[in-house]
Amino acid sequence: MSAPILEVENLVTHFPLRRGALGRRVGTVRAVDGVTFDVRRGETFGLVGESGCGKSTLGRTLLRLIEPTSGSIRFDGQELVGMAPADLRRLRRKMQLIFQDPYASLDPRMRVRDIVGEGLAIHRLANGAERERRVTSLLEKMGLGPEAMDRYPHEFSGGQRQRIGIARALALGPELVIADEPISSLDVSIQAQIVNLLVDLQRELGLTYIFIAHDLKIVEYVSTRVAVMYLGKIVELADAAELYRAPRHPYTQALLSAVPVPDPERKRMRIILDGDVPSPANPPPGCPFHPRCPHAFARCRTEVPPLYKLGASHVASCFLVEEEAVAASSP
C-alpha cells in the first residue's frame, strides 16, 4: 500500500452569516464540519454527494483557496494550515485544480498560449522559446494542435475549453490534482473523452486525483476509493468496488439506487428520500441524515454516530452498523 500524499484530520470550514449595516454575526454555515481522510499516492479518491453537501468547498479548502476554520491538512508530510504565504506558493506547484465550468474559468481576454503558460511565468519555470515548447507539448497531449495557441477561449467548444483547463492545471508538473466536477457541464458525448483523457494522463504522469462528481457511474469507473459526503461530513468511505457492491450507510444506499441500470430486463428498487438536504446554517441535532432516513430511531435524533470501522478500509457513520463494527474489531 502506497504512503499517503495527503492527510486530512478533523478539517472544519465554517462561514459567518451576517446581517444589518454593522454586519452583526447571526449564525454560521457549516460547509465542512470535521472531515478526516487520507489520499494515497497514485490513486483516484472519489468524492460524491448531493449539491450543497460541501464537496467543492472541501476541495478548495485542501488547496487553501478557502481558509479552513480549524483542523490539519498535511501534503507530503508538510502542514498547510498556518503555512506562510511564500512557502505555500512554492508548494502550490505540486497541487492544482481543474475547475467545474470551462466557460467561467478561462479568462476571455487571454490567448491560449498565455492561459496555459501563465503558471510557468509566475513560478519562473520557463520563458521564451522553452515556455512556447512546453505549452505546445501540453496542448498536443490534450489533442489540440499548435494552431490553438493564438486563439481565444470563445473560439473553442466546451470540451476543448476543458482540455485547455486541464493543460493549465498540468503545466507546473503537479503531483496532486483536484478535479472539481470536471465533466458536469459538458455534453454526454464529450464526458467520456475527458474522463479517458484524465485516466491516460494519470497513467502517463503518475498523478494523484481527488475526483469530485455527481455521476456515480463515472466515479465508480475512475476511483480507487470513494467517500460519500452529507451536510459537511463524510458518512461512508470504502474501496470503490466494495462501496458499490455493499453500501452500508442509508444515504449511500439511496444514492446508488438512483444510478440507471444499462439493462432493460433488470430492475433496481429505488429508495426515495423525503425532503431536501437541510441547511448547513441550521443542521439538525444528532445524525445529520436522520430527518430523511427511513431507518432513523430515537438515538439518531440526539447523538452523532462516529465513523465505525467495518473492514480494513471501510467506515460508515451510522448506528445501524454498530454491532457489525464491534464484531469486526473482535479478535
Side-chain angles (χ1 to χ4, degrees), residues 71-84:
S72 171
I73 308 169
R74 290 186 297 277
F75 175 78
D76 219 3
Q78 300 182 69
E79 178 60 59
L80 301 187
V81 178
M83 179 178 281

Side-chain angles (χ1 to χ4, degrees), residues 11-15 29-37 45-61 66 100 180-181 211-216 219 226-236 249 251-252 255 273 276-281 283-284 288-289 292:
L11 185 64
V12 173
T13 304
H14 290 173
F15 300 103
V29 176
R30 302 173 181 270
V32 178
D33 203 19
V35 166
T36 298
F37 65 94
F45 186 88
L47 194 59
V48 301
E50 293 172 281
S51 296
C53 69
K55 305 185 301 298
S56 294
T57 301
L58 174 58
R60 284 165 169 73
T61 301
I66 296 175
Q100 175 180 352
D180 184 10
E181 302 193 37
F211 194 90
I212 302 170
H214 282 106
D215 191 326
L216 295 171
V219 171
V226 178
V228 181
M229 281 192 74
Y230 186 81
L231 213 60
K233 299 179 182 291
I234 289 179
V235 296
E236 188 163 10
H249 196 282
Y251 180 59
T252 310
L255 287 181
L273 298 177
D276 298 318
V277 180
S279 169
F289 186 59
R292 306 174 70 196

